[in-house]
């Protein structure tokens, strides 16, 4: 992740169904110069990816409509966007949850 540009114009996609977490993380990252796109679930995230290509995706695991696992599997199957690093940011913090997230294609798994 050290090669991720920290400058205006670097775009990140943040996907989480908790509006308070979205506000907190978006404000934190925008203050540091990132452009933040947001979605409330994986389905919305995929729609955003049809028109935008972020340099990083931060995604919750447990969401309505489309969870993080299904979202990341869809991303990893698409050669146009499968290179985008994905960080899972989840309340599920047990070892088997982390292993499952990494096995599904996450580059990093962080517990909320």
């Amino acid at each position: 992740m050290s090669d991720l540009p920290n400058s205006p114009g670097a775009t990140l996609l943040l996907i989480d169904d908790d509006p308070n977490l979205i506000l907190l993380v978006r404000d934190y990252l925008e203050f540091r110069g990132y452009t933040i796109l947001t979605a409330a679930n994986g389905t919305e995230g995929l729609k955003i990816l049809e028109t935008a290509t972020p340099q990083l995706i931060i995604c919750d695991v447990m969401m309505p409509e489309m969870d993080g696992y299904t979202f990341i599997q869809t991303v990893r199957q698409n050669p146009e966007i499968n290179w985008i690093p994905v960080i899972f940011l989840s309340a599920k913090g047990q070892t088997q949850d982390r292993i499952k997230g990494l096995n599904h294609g996450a580059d990093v798994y962080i517990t909320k």
Side-chain angles (χ1 to χ4, degrees):
M1 296 299 179
S2 61
D3 60 343
L4 182 67
N6 185 10
S7 63
T11 302
L12 310 180
L13 174 57
L14 175 60
I15 307 170
D16 200 297
D17 61 327
D18 181 347
N20 293 323
L21 185 119
I22 290 269
L23 286 172
L24 179 69
V25 174
R26 184 181 65 204
D27 287 349
Y28 179 85
L29 293 171
E30 283 178 341
F31 182 74
R32 280 147 184 81
Y34 294 100
T35 300
I36 308 300
L37 306 172
T38 62
N41 58 57
T43 302
E44 288 182 18
L46 290 176
K47 287 180 184 175
I48 290 171
L49 290 173
E50 291 174 4
T51 59
T53 306
Q55 283 75 42
L56 175 72
I57 300 169
I58 302 170
C59 183
D60 189 11
V61 172
M62 298 180 296
M63 298 178 290
E65 291 188 43
M66 179 185 289
D67 66 12
Y69 299 126
T70 305
F71 170 80
I72 198 169
Q73 286 178 321
T74 305
V75 168
R76 294 300 183 226
Q77 292 172 359
N78 183 337
E80 293 180 13
I81 57 173
N82 66 4
W83 59 269
I84 301 172
V86 177
I87 296 174
F88 268 149
L89 181 61
S90 178
K92 298 178 81 168
Q94 295 185 349
T95 301
Q96 66 262 23
D97 297 318
R98 293 172 188 262
I99 291 170
K100 183 176 179 181
L102 295 171
N103 284 340
H104 274 79
D107 295 283
V108 176
Y109 191 106
I110 300 172
T111 304
K112 293 180 185 176

